[in-house]
Amino acid sequence: MSVSDNAKPGMKTSIASMFPRALDGQAFDRLLARHVVVLAFALADWWPWMVDAFDILDAREREAVQRQRQTGHRNDLAVAYALHRLFLSRALGMPPSQVPLQRDPRGRPMLQGLAADTSLSHAEGFVAVALSLHGPVGVDVEPASRVGMMREIADRICHPDERARIAAHSEGERGMGLLELWVRKEAFLKAAGVGLGREMDTFVLPEGEALALHPGEAEEVTADVLSLGPGVVCAVARRPDVACVAGWARPAETADGA
């Protein structure tokens, strides 16, 4: 899927005017009534609006950006934060500056005072954002190029019960199996609100099955890999009875339906 807007090519635009209002022609607010919505971005598409992106951020976000030591990391984080804020602005029907986006002590984004949950992930040129009006949500995105490093960290990803299943894959499939498990567990831990405070190798995350967010509690989510095409692996954790819609968001004048 791809999202687009109706800005005219060639006109002087801001990042806000280039940001889409719909996914496959359906307004975000209508989709959110029954779905979790996930948008994915290629950061390079949005670099021309770098200055605009920084101007959209609130004071805490700017401080977090400035703490990054490398220029490239600062720029990527600024655009990621801006895209997240713009998506929430579009979906919730309020100006970007009024979106009550805060972060808990672990850095997890929260929407203060709203019955909604949101999640953000960014890695090596890609960003994914998620919004749910139906309980907790977590999203994670990783470049597919990380397949090659997965075997080195397999013990940190897999519970002992999962290692045999991964080992049963062919040599060519093993790296992707590990990467998909990694992003699914990252998404799950974000939905649980604990991030890396819980080690991945301490729990089994069944594929296509619901799992309690916290041991002994009733609330459950399922964590699934999304179909976003080659180049990235992205997963979302959400309530098992709530469907997810996902797609790429590109500036209006470059949206091509891919």
Side-chain angles (χ1 to χ4, degrees), residues 197-220:
R198 182 178 178 186
E199 297 293 339
M200 289 186 182
D201 62 355
T202 62
F203 67 98
V204 174
L205 185 59
E207 191 168 357
E209 298 180 23
L211 182 69
L213 276 175
H214 303 281
E217 295 187 4
E219 191 168 38
E220 295 182 327

Side-chain angles (χ1 to χ4, degrees), residues 3-7 16-22 90 250-253 255:
V3 288
S4 61
D5 207 342
N6 56 6
S17 69
M18 297 301 290
F19 199 89
R21 299 177 181 274
R90 288 281 192 265
R250 298 182 175 91
E253 60 189 13

Side-chain angles (χ1 to χ4, degrees), residues 6-62:
N6 56 6
K8 297 180 180 178
M11 66 185 291
K12 186 175 181 181
T13 57
S14 66
I15 190 172
S17 69
M18 297 301 290
F19 199 89
R21 299 177 181 274
L23 175 60
D24 282 358
Q26 298 188 64
F28 293 136
D29 58 348
R30 294 188 64 182
L31 287 172
L32 284 163
R34 296 189 176 185
H35 304 83
V36 166
V37 176
V38 175
L39 293 188
F41 308 84
L43 280 174
D45 289 344
W46 298 89
W47 283 336
W49 293 274
M50 178 68 64
V51 174
D52 273 356
F54 193 81
D55 289 344
I56 285 172
L57 309 185
D58 68 12
R60 291 183 180 181
E61 290 165 337
R62 292 177 186 177

